[in-house]
Amino acid sequence: MASRRSSSEAVGSPTSADKVAETQKLPAKTTKTPKTAKGAQANGKPNGATTPKHGRSRLATALRTVTCGELTAANIGESVILTGWVGHRRDHGKLIFIDLRDRYGLTQVVIDPERSPESAEAHAIANEARLEYVLRVEGVVVRRLPGKENPALSTGEIEVEAQHIDILNPAKTTPFLIADHVTAEEATRLRYRYLDLRRDTMRKNIVLRHRAVKFIRDYMDERGFVEVETPILTKSTPEGARDYLVPSRTYPGEFYALPQAPQQFKQLLMVAGLDRYFQIARCFRDEDLRSDRQPEFTQLDVEMSFVDEQDVMGLIEGMLIDLIHATTTKRIKQIPFPHISYDEAMRSYGIDRPDMRFGMLLVELGDLARLGTFKVFHDAIDNGGMVKGIRAPGLASSTRKELDALTEFAKSLGAKGLVTLALTPEGPRSPLARFMSEDELRQIITKMGGETGDLILFVADSAKVCNDVLWRLRIKLAEQLKLIDPDEMSLCWVVDFPLLEEIEENGVTRYHATHNPFSGMQPGQEAMLESEPLKVIARQYDIVCNGYEIGGGSIRINKADLQRQIFRLLGLSEEQIDEQFGHMLEAFEYGAPPHGGIALGIDRLVMLLADGETIRDVTAFPKMQTGQDALMRAPSPVTEEQLRELSLAIRLPEKTEQTEQKKAGG
């Protein structure tokens, strides 16, 4: 008989599963069951099935009595039935070890052919099993041999001695290994997403998303909110991005639009007197993709009546604090969340979604940029721009190669270059020293808060270029200096946004709403819409976490005449206003209460909770960066018959190198 003690590998892989049973709160105890005669059926179950004497796992089914993540030393001696996938298989000749995996965890199964005739049959079947085969295993729970325990697994103290094995389904060799440290290209993983979702990290992300959404629903329900589903097929209105259009078969030439957000519907629900609304809403925007954006996404949509900014912000702040504590072990940097104005965010961080986990604030030199005779600084100021810098502690000793790399990084973002000032123990080292006196240079160092050992970097350009370059450089330097704590979440509110901005479109300058056209303005500023519209401050608020905008909202306009005035400022004609928003303006004439709300991006929020790199990491079936669905092969052509039913004809754009690259997924 083969000796179990001779095996040096009778331990499951610690990377294959974690303590899922604990997080799922599964019952750890099942009861010992008698073995049925070979070929018989127990309670109508498949051949060889056993039934616990005293109850079953709450996740028991017709094919299993327990899951792969719930057995512990307390179950030793019990007969159990497991189902799952072969995660790892080790053949020691007479002994075969299989790591059986399901959603709940991993259990090591040992097959010894000399235990009994039934075990010999099980061994023969285990010989056939390969990775990702679907198995049903019947056996007895035993303690692992001393020294063979695996503390990384919740089931690491035990293993199951197999008495009977069924292959429920074989599996082809997978296109990539089902493991956390996968090396396959993302396009391949998305093409076989159903395999990618078997990986522990992806499974945990999907379960975390479920728990986060459930927590949000319970939280809102406990505070008197009513969840209302709003239409998916709706009207196309100008709300910031392109609409996805759906042609109507019954009304040829007319189209529905998929909602970019339920904005108008939730305001109409306030007119209806619902008072407190929320929805886990699906939204659609036809815009260019990036790591934290998808053409279809999910948001927590909220609207409340008879409120001000603090009511909405207080609700969401409390929910986020409780959600983070309930679903992660992360620390929140500051409670209550700090409030920062839009102007201060742009001044000190270069962006309106600041990452406040670390310092290294940006500093504008102002009039000090005119000191000395440095033409680069002077030209920037004379052209209406600025000189802005950042202090990187401890990088004064950076090599020329390292400084050149930072300069190339800045140039790739639009800067003409970087001006460096290294504060070495021997004194300042900078091209500025040739154009400024020691006293002038000292004034600049003082303004930047420089100390010996620091490296100060300047960009001289327009305010837009300075901010665009320096906020990204700030993140890059913080990562290099390891200033970012991955276990910390820094949240803040950004407030006091301008209501309007000027944009250029087709050679024409016009006003554009910084958030959406429904935001109210600070009380008493209504008259400024006629005289100084760009100075009007909106009643808007964004919630930012670790440099990501995870939500935004406002106190709304609730009077038809003021809303119409905003639409006019945005360049809409009276005919366009009535056609696109007449239903809403009419509703406001029937007693619209003061109201406000917010929307939070579920995808981004869960990405941050899960430490994901992109929102694709926390979305079950996402689109690729190109907007294509690699699994379903969408978008795809439709038949001529379908087009005729919709009274449509296809007019393709002229082929260009860019469109061909997009088609090829480049």
Side-chain angles (χ1 to χ4, degrees), residues 612-624:
E613 294 183 7
T614 78
I615 61 174
R616 296 188 294 279
D617 293 335
V618 297
T619 305
F621 298 103
K623 305 295 187 289
M624 295 194 296

Side-chain angles (χ1 to χ4, degrees), residues 207-265:
V207 172
L208 173 62
R209 183 181 180 120
H210 156 71
R211 295 204 174 285
V213 170
K214 181 181 184 303
F215 181 94
I216 289 169
R217 279 196 160 104
D218 292 343
Y219 187 94
M220 302 301 286
D221 178 65
E222 290 166 3
R223 285 154 183 81
F225 284 81
V226 177
E227 184 168 12
V228 180
E229 296 177 354
T230 53
I232 292 296
L233 295 176
T234 185
K235 184 181 182 66
S236 179
T237 57
E239 292 187 28
R242 297 184 200 90
D243 286 325
Y244 279 104
L245 301 177
V246 179
S248 169
R249 179 183 59 81
T250 50
Y251 296 93
E254 298 187 5
F255 295 81
Y256 297 104
L258 303 183
Q260 296 184 32
Q263 181 66 46
Q264 296 184 56
F265 287 111

Side-chain angles (χ1 to χ4, degrees), residues 103 170 342 529 633:
R103 175 191 134 187
Y342 168 82
L529 290 173
R633 304 290 204 275

Side-chain angles (χ1 to χ4, degrees), residues 323-345:
L323 174 64
I324 291 168
H325 289 159
T327 59
T328 76
T329 58
K330 293 179 180 294
R331 300 182 305 276
I332 299 175
K333 185 177 180 70
Q334 186 175 341
I335 299 175
F337 302 163
H339 290 211
I340 181 173
S341 71
Y342 168 82
D343 287 343
E344 176 58 26

